Amino acid sequence: MEAAGALWQWQSRTDERRLLEILSYGLVGIGALSALLLCFLRMPYGRYFSRRFGYPVPARLAWTLQELPSLLVPLGLSLFSGAARLSEWPNRVLVALFIVHYAHRALIFPVLIRGGKPTPFIIFALALIFCVYNGYLQGRSLSNYAEYPSGWLKGPCFIVGFAGWLSGMAINIYSDHILRNLRKPGETGYKIPRGGLFEYVTGANFFGEILEWFGFALASCTFESAAFAICTLFILGSRAHHHHHTSHWGLAPCLGRLSAMVIQIIKMLSSC
């Protein structure tokens, strides 16, 4: 009986490990598909808000509810699913980094919003599903499967990756602060943000989050975290480009940008 139980447990772990791998490929596919769609459609929220994509959900409520699964799912997996690897400090720290980001995104960022435009229900629902999906993927991988040597937290991958994660999060938070304070009370219309990395890039907030998740991927060195970083690059990179070149649309330019992005990703991964 004990041998049968051990065999069943091994088979279950193997099946779930395979599931996590498939979900990781799916995450990259979601990012690539989103980037392709964004060649033809503006993301319909914020300054591009459109009622064609469903009933408007108030900005603060939408941000809180859609981001909350990426906080609660890893916490639940860590506390209630027999997280086999959380006895190890590297896994604890890495799960904590993921949770810290989404604690800010779900609980602090929405409170700071100043009269933001609502989010169409379809976009809100897709974001909610994505956060459940990725919350499970990252949380389960780090709490139950990722294995690290005893000195991982002192090694170059974690140190450089953690620096990237921390720098990216700081850039993202500060850039959001600049965007919130663009207009004085009563002002309307679009204004070009100034200060911070906005002096060098149009989408400093997007750049910060991309840097943050690539840093996290380097600190984690898991297939799941790399897939999330690449997905983030596809989606936020496309959105940043649209902010900078809102008048340039069409299949050829977009395919060219996507091809260049994929080539850079392959070069980066092959050099690791």
Side-chain angles (χ1 to χ4, degrees), residues 32-78:
L33 179 61
S34 299
L36 183 60
L37 290 175
L38 286 171
C39 291
F40 307 97
L41 298 170
R42 290 188 176 100
M43 187 68 77
Y45 70 90
R47 61 172 164 155
Y48 305 123
F49 170 75
S50 171
R51 289 180 176 269
R52 291 183 301 167
F53 289 84
Y55 182 83
V57 182
R60 288 181 176 177
L61 180 63
W63 272 104
T64 299
L65 294 182
Q66 73 190 30
E67 303 292 311
L68 205 54
S70 285
L71 170 62
L72 297 182
V73 171
L75 274 175
L77 290 171
S78 299

Side-chain angles (χ1 to χ4, degrees), residues 97 100-101 158-174 207-217 219:
L97 296 185
V100 164
H101 171 89
F158 177 80
I159 292 173
V160 175
F162 175 74
W165 175 87
L166 187 62
S167 300
M169 187 169 183
I171 291 168
N172 183 247
I173 291 174
Y174 183 62
F207 171 78
E209 190 156 352
I210 291 169
L211 174 61
E212 180 182 0
W213 291 123
F214 269 91
F216 179 77

